């Protein structure tokens, strides 16, 4: 599997381009602020054809470029049903202070084709199978996507799990209790060898996080 990472201009959000290799179809995950032109460069360089955009959750730093990317390539956006309203009105997912960081006067348009995802479902895209794990806590509709490449299993965790940290739970739709349940029932059961592709920061593995992430260690200590 070919994994390309484009880091957004704001908030350091990771946008991923996943494909079976150069010259194939691809899936874009979490196109944030200022990534559309750089994604086009990746598509052209590797001769990739986008077929879908996957959204881990509805915060603007992960969705800012979803409409231009979907529109330019005539592809649908996929998001968990509990965060779908944030593609219609992203301001519902941020505090006033966070919206000020993104900028006032945002001219927002929802993608033409939005497909909602449910927990335990799966989608076949670009020759890859993505299974959907509803993982609330950071937002009500946060989801993790699991897929398997030639040499490793990957989990796209959005803002659920980072290297050494987890996503904040104090924004609208967030819940610390839900996050703890997600970590206990959705993250900890994953195999040690799973490669974590997080929404921010460097990639890691479940084994590394099980051993060093204080939030996971706290759960396993009880």
């Amino acid at each position: 599997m070919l994994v390309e990472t484009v880091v957004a201009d704001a908030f350091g959000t990771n946008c991923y381009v996943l494909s079976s290799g150069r010259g194939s179809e691809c899936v874009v995950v979490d196109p944030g602020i200022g990534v559309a032109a750089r994604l086009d460069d990746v598509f052209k360089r590797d001769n990739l054809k986008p077929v879908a955009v996957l959204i881990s959750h509805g915060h603007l730093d992960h969705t800012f470029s979803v409409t231009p990317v979907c529109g330019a390539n005539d592809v649908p956006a996929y998001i968990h049903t509990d965060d779908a309203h944030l593609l219609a009105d992203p301001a519902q997912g941020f505090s006033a202070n966070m919206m000020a960081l993104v900028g006032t006067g945002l001219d927002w348009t929802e993608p033409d084709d939005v497909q909602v995802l449910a927990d335990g479902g799966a989608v076949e895209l670009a020759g890859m199978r993505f299974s959907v794990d509803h993982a609330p806590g950071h937002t009500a509709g946060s989801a993790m996507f699991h897929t398997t490449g030639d040499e490793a299993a990957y989990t796209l965790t959005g803002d659920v799990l980072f290297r050494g940290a987890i996503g904040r739970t104090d924004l609208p739709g967030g819940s610390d209790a839900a996050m703890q349940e997600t970590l206990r029932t959705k993250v900890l059961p994953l195999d040690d060898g799973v490669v974590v592709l997080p929404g921010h920061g460097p990639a890691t593995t479940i084994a590394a996080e099980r051993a060093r992430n204080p939030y996971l260690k706290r759960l396993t200590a009880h």
Side-chain angles (χ1 to χ4, degrees):
M1 179 182 293
L2 181 64
V3 180
E4 297 279 356
T5 307
V6 178
V7 181
D9 296 340
F11 301 99
T13 306
N14 292 327
C15 174
Y16 297 102
V17 180
L18 305 180
S19 68
S20 59
R22 291 171 175 80
S24 64
E25 294 180 334
C26 69
V27 174
V28 176
V29 182
D30 287 356
I33 297 171
V35 302
R38 283 182 286 155
L39 285 173
D40 284 340
D41 291 340
V42 172
F43 302 154
K44 292 173 184 175
R45 185 195 68 207
D46 294 335
N47 190 25
L48 298 173
K49 176 180 172 52
V51 296
V53 175
L54 288 178
I55 303 295
S56 67
H57 64 288
H59 283 161
L60 262 177
D61 58 319
H62 293 253
T63 66
F64 192 90
S65 297
V66 61
T67 299
V69 171
C70 286
N73 297 284
D74 192 24
V75 300
Y78 291 81
I79 190 168
H80 188 272
T81 184
D82 290 348
D83 265 15
H85 66 287
L86 297 179
L87 285 186
D89 182 10
Q92 293 184 42
F94 267 179
S95 65
N97 288 341
M98 293 294 286
M99 284 301 296
L101 289 175
V102 173
T104 57
L106 178 66
D107 185 13
W108 179 261
T109 303
E110 186 177 10
D112 289 336
D113 186 357
V114 176
Q115 302 290 322
V116 295
L117 300 168
D119 186 35
V123 287
E124 300 277 351
L125 301 166
M128 297 170 286
R129 178 180 173 85
F130 295 87
S131 57
V132 181
D133 247 345
H134 185 210
H138 182 63
T139 66
S142 288
M144 300 189 300
F145 302 113
H146 310 291
T147 191
T148 302
D150 294 336
E151 298 178 354
Y154 298 88
T155 293
L156 296 128
T157 57
D159 286 3
V160 174
L161 181 71
F162 310 127
R163 180 183 287 186
I166 61 172
R168 59 189 295 182
T169 59
D170 60 336
L171 293 172
S175 165
D176 184 66
M179 177 65 86
Q180 297 307 308
E181 182 69 4
T182 286
L183 296 176
R184 186 179 66 81
T185 64
K186 298 296 182 78
V187 173
L188 282 173
L190 295 174
D191 291 340
D192 280 350
V194 168
V195 176
V196 174
L197 300 178
H200 304 266
T204 182
T205 65
I206 291 297
E209 297 315 298
R210 201 188 306 279
R212 296 193 291 267
N213 189 307
Y215 299 93
L216 296 187
K217 289 179 68 176
R218 189 177 304 145
L219 288 173
T220 57
H222 298 295

